Amino acid sequence: MGQELNILIVEDSDDDVLLIDRELRKGGLNPRMVQVKTPIKFKELLHQDSWDVVIADYNLPEFNGFDALKLVQNKKLNIPFIFVSEIGGEEFAVKAVKAGANDYIIKNKLRQLVSSIKRELKTAENSKRCQQINQTLQENQSQYYGLFEDSPIPLWLEDLSAIKKFIDNLKQAGVTDFYQYFTDHPEDIKTCLTRIKIVDVNKETLKLYQAKSKEEIIRNPSGVFEQETYQVLIEELSQLASGHLKFESEVVTRTLKAVSYTHLTLPTN
């Protein structure tokens, strides 16, 4: 027994429906085909059942295949839509594809229909799987953001790709001892600070630095660091240059409103 498929077919010729059914069975499919000839019946059945494929002739006495395609699109149904018509040629093919059809098959080449259906079903399944993955990722992201935002400790989300590029350029220039290099070139510490991109900070970070908004810190991350911080940054940058993904230290920072100091531990992942 072949793959079972529910197929809604817009076709006024009963003989053509039988030909299509026979061709699909020859190709290893097991179709349950329901034929419609009017827009009213098409709308009714489109709501009543779960369809794997919609096949439509180009033009019927009471119905147009493009109208059927619009009805499927308006319902945002992820169903492969394939034209099977006596009308052929590049002009019709372009029109069908531009309208949103997945494929078109000329009736005297029905042998192509099986491979077209199998291909479009696989594409639809992949699309459905991608949507499910994206939905899961969005749910996980929402859950993660809730944990991040409501954490009782200050958290920063940083993009250090520009610093990595800066360090890679130094490596290409022959620098091997980064601890010594940054000790001898404190101006490059400032350069690295300007290249830190703060993606987000949580509520506790705002409280810690007495900031009114996230933008105050995101726009000026170096504003919370003092000269006394540089020694820790030298160690951190040296660790990053060596490929380490975690660094812990105690640093001295300042709030955005006063020159009072706070000690905290910074893990860098």
Side-chain angles (χ1 to χ4, degrees), residues 36-161:
V36 295
K37 301 180 182 181
T38 66
I40 295 176
K41 192 64 176 179
F42 183 79
K43 290 180 184 179
E44 177 186 334
L45 291 175
L46 196 60
H47 293 291
Q48 288 182 357
D49 209 339
S50 177
W51 304 101
D52 297 303
V53 182
V54 174
I55 294 175
D57 197 350
Y58 171 66
N59 199 17
L60 285 70
E62 300 183 50
F63 203 16
N64 186 303
F66 285 98
D67 292 333
L69 176 59
K70 288 180 181 178
L71 288 172
V72 173
Q73 292 172 333
N74 289 340
K75 290 297 179 182
K76 301 186 185 304
L77 300 174
N78 186 27
I79 305 174
F81 192 103
I82 300 175
F83 276 105
V84 176
S85 178
E86 292 179 352
I87 300 175
E90 183 178 348
E91 182 179 351
F92 174 77
V94 171
K95 183 178 179 181
V97 171
K98 283 187 175 180
N102 297 87
D103 202 355
Y104 79 100
I105 304 294
I106 301 175
K107 286 186 176 180
N108 62 9
K109 296 182 179 180
L110 282 179
R111 63 184 182 277
Q112 299 176 356
L113 183 57
V114 172
S115 60
S116 176
I117 288 177
K118 290 181 177 179
R119 180 182 66 250
E120 296 306 327
L121 285 175
K122 185 176 181 180
T123 300
E125 179 62 27
N126 289 338
S127 176
K128 181 179 179 181
R129 188 177 295 112
C130 286
Q131 290 176 358
Q132 292 172 341
I133 292 173
N134 287 334
Q135 182 178 353
T136 301
L137 288 174
Q138 289 175 2
E139 291 172 354
N140 290 342
Q141 185 177 22
S142 177
Q143 182 180 18
Y144 162 78
Y145 187 77
L147 294 173
F148 171 85
E149 187 65 25
D150 298 326
S151 172
I153 61 174
L155 295 175
W156 296 45
L157 183 61
E158 301 175 354
D159 179 358
L160 303 181
S161 57

Side-chain angles (χ1 to χ4, degrees), residues 4 15 28 70 93 130 161 176 179 210 216 222:
E4 295 185 359
D15 290 338
K70 288 180 181 178
C130 286
S161 57
T176 56
Y179 185 90
Q210 300 179 16
E216 283 190 83
S222 60

